[in-house]
Amino acid sequence: MQVKDIIKELELFAPPSFQESYDNAGLIVGNSNDAVSAALISLDITEEVVQEAIDRKCDLIISHHPIIMGGIKRLNGNNYVERSVIKAIKNNIAIYACHTNADSVKTGVNGMISKKIGLQNCKILDPKKNSLLKLVTYAPKANADAVREAIFSAGAGNIGNYDSCSFNTEGTGTFKANADANPHVGNLGELHQEEEIRIETVVPAYLKNKVVSALLKSHPYEEVAFDLFPLENVWNEVGSGMIGELPEAESELDFLKRIKKIFNVGCIKYTSLLNKPVKKVALCGGAGSFLVNKAKALGADVFISGDFKYHQYFDAENQLVIADIGHFESEQFTKELFYELLTKKIPNFAVCLSNVNTNPIKYL
Ligand SMILES: [Zn+2]
């Protein structure tokens, strides 16, 4: 097994292009061609975690938070980041981070939190914009099925719970091949008319190259005519946070007590209770305060996240209850998420969960 085999599965689940601009998800230490025998999964990386990888004979650490976020100009071992990286390199341990890309996918960090709380009918709280394209292409009638099939297999044509979505219209294509051409139909130097199908479908922007390459491979023409248009539509499958419903409404206090237990929170910080039952729950693992207004607009009764600053609690405005359950606590099940994914996809590969509690915050 090579590092890249493990990365492939992680990136099929959480494509790296879904990470935020400030992020540094990906292979941070090591080479993707390095051999790998076992992976250790952790939320954060500290020297203790690297030591654990050494002790448990793991040559890859998969973390949620990237150990390097800003630039590093020196590696002198002057802080825990440098020391962790040096220790990993000296011991031939690769480090891979799956961060905001795992936050953005529906079955990622927030999907896991929703599952733990027992939410139903979950939707992305703030779907990603500018992430869809429209592909229009023209195929000879006899080849339209094969072209459609190829682009669908490459990831085009998915809308919610539907795949193979396209719109097709018949028309006439014209072309005149010059002396250097080798046309699939028609003769050199003669204007040719061909019955064609105009195929329109939707493509996630990150799959553009894959879909175009599938189109070119499956299309019989030497020069394939196709157009890609950026779409204003939001893509509901990818984005920040999650909103869903409890199977049965709970009182605010009962709900918060249950959350405290599920996430083993030392102390939940929350805003005034509104004395109404909790049914709709919005959430975001980690630092999600930027989503409060979205949660309010969608009618959430409670918004669960971490890392709220004092003034941000005022944003509740008696429209919902903000519950700060802590950054670490809210994301703790991400380890389980990576573990479940890898043991399912690569059953013959050893994956261990870190036993180090990396939460730097203690409660008195
Ligand atoms: Zn985080």
Side-chain angles (χ1 to χ4, degrees):
M1 204 71 80
Q2 287 173 298
V3 170
K4 64 181 172 200
D5 301 320
I6 315 302
I7 292 179
K8 193 182 140 207
E9 291 304 334
L10 289 164
E11 297 192 346
L12 275 174
F13 153 72
S17 59
F18 290 172
Q19 67 180 296
E20 301 294 337
S21 54
Y22 59 82
D23 201 3
N24 190 34
L27 185 61
I28 293 173
V29 172
N31 188 290
S32 58
N33 292 317
D34 288 348
V36 63
S37 57
L40 180 70
I41 297 177
S42 180
L43 193 70
D44 305 285
I45 292 184
T46 60
E47 289 166 87
E48 241 184 308
V49 172
V50 181
Q51 186 57 50
E52 188 187 18
I54 298 168
D55 295 342
R56 297 175 72 178
K57 305 203 172 0
C58 295
D59 33 24
L60 168 66
I61 304 174
I62 299 162
S63 67
H64 180 49
H65 296 129
I67 178 73
I68 299 174
M69 275 298 263
I72 283 193
K73 287 196 171 179
R74 294 157 197 242
L75 276 171
N76 294 332
N78 286 332
N79 56 49
Y80 86 95
V81 171
E82 295 179 14
R83 286 192 298 275
S84 303
V85 170
I86 291 169
K87 196 170 175 141
I89 294 171
K90 278 187 175 169
N91 290 280
N92 291 321
I93 293 171
I95 294 178
Y96 182 87
C98 188
H99 189 211
T100 50
N101 42 333
D103 292 331
S104 299
V105 290
K106 220 171 171 181
T107 50
V109 176
N110 297 312
M112 193 65 172
I113 299 172
S114 307
K115 205 162 101 182
K116 293 284 174 187
I117 300 175
L119 296 184
Q120 301 174 334
N121 309 321
C122 292
K123 292 187 177 72
I124 298 272
L125 184 56
D126 191 15
K128 233 182 171 60
K129 294 167 190 79
N130 306 317
S131 48
L132 288 176
L133 303 170
K134 166 139 287 190
L135 169 67
V136 177
T137 189
Y138 309 83
K141 235 172 155 180
N143 303 83
D145 286 346
V147 168
R148 263 193 306 269
E149 213 168 282
I151 57 180
F152 291 157
S153 315
N158 292 313
I159 303 177
N161 292 326
Y162 296 81
D163 60 34
S164 313
C165 303
S166 71
F167 189 79
N168 301 272
T169 33
E170 285 188 31
T172 307
T174 69
F175 47 82
K176 185 158 66 178
N178 71 25
D180 296 326
N182 179 23
H184 171 67
V185 280
N187 300 315
L188 297 186
E190 283 176 19
L191 183 66
H192 179 78
Q193 296 202 350
E194 181 71 19
E195 297 272 289
E196 292 178 349
I197 307 287
R198 174 188 160 108
I199 305 168
E200 301 177 40
T201 189
V202 69
V203 177
Y206 83 100
L207 292 175
K208 183 177 80 177
N209 294 341
K210 200 177 162 196
V211 170
V212 168
S213 132
L215 166 66
L216 299 181
K217 259 189 216 153
S218 61
H219 200 292
Y221 286 1
E222 219 177 1
E223 299 296 338
V224 179
F226 68 93
D227 309 307
L228 282 166
F229 304 101
L231 293 182
E232 293 275 321
N233 308 43
V234 289
W235 191 19
N236 291 318
E237 299 303 306
V238 175
S240 307
M242 194 74 83
I243 185 161
E245 287 167 3
L246 292 170
E248 273 176 44
E250 289 174 50
S251 82
E252 290 161 317
L253 214 53
D254 284 350
F255 177 72
L256 292 179
K257 280 180 184 165
R258 192 162 70 83
I259 292 297
K260 187 174 158 76
K261 213 168 162 189
I262 296 171
F263 293 85
N264 191 23
V265 188
C267 157
I268 293 187
K269 294 191 274 183
Y270 64 95
T271 57
S272 303
L273 299 182
L274 307 173
N275 296 317
K276 58 171 194 177
V278 176
K279 179 83 178 161
K280 232 181 199 183
V281 178
L283 57 90
C284 180
S289 57
F290 68 102
L291 291 169
V292 171
N293 287 334
K294 264 276 169 196
K296 282 198 287 194
L298 294 180
D301 300 308
V302 179
F303 179 55
I304 301 169
S305 192
D307 275 355
F308 282 87
K309 290 181 181 165
Y310 176 73
H311 291 283
Q312 293 173 328
Y313 286 90
F314 288 98
D315 294 336
E317 302 238 46
N318 287 329
Q319 288 175 40
L320 47 58
V321 177
I322 290 175
D324 186 334
I325 68 168
H327 192 128
F328 175 90
E329 288 82 352
S330 68
E331 292 186 324
Q332 63 188 297
F333 300 115
T334 307
K335 280 161 64 178
E336 211 176 303
L337 181 75
F338 296 157
Y339 183 85
E340 276 179 9
L341 174 90
L342 291 176
T343 47
K344 196 172 138 203
K345 297 284 180 186
I346 322 177
N348 57 344
F349 179 68
V351 186
C352 330
L353 285 175
S354 169
N355 295 321
V356 178
N357 180 352
T358 55
N359 190 2
I361 300 168
K362 309 291 173 207
Y363 300 95
L364 190 65

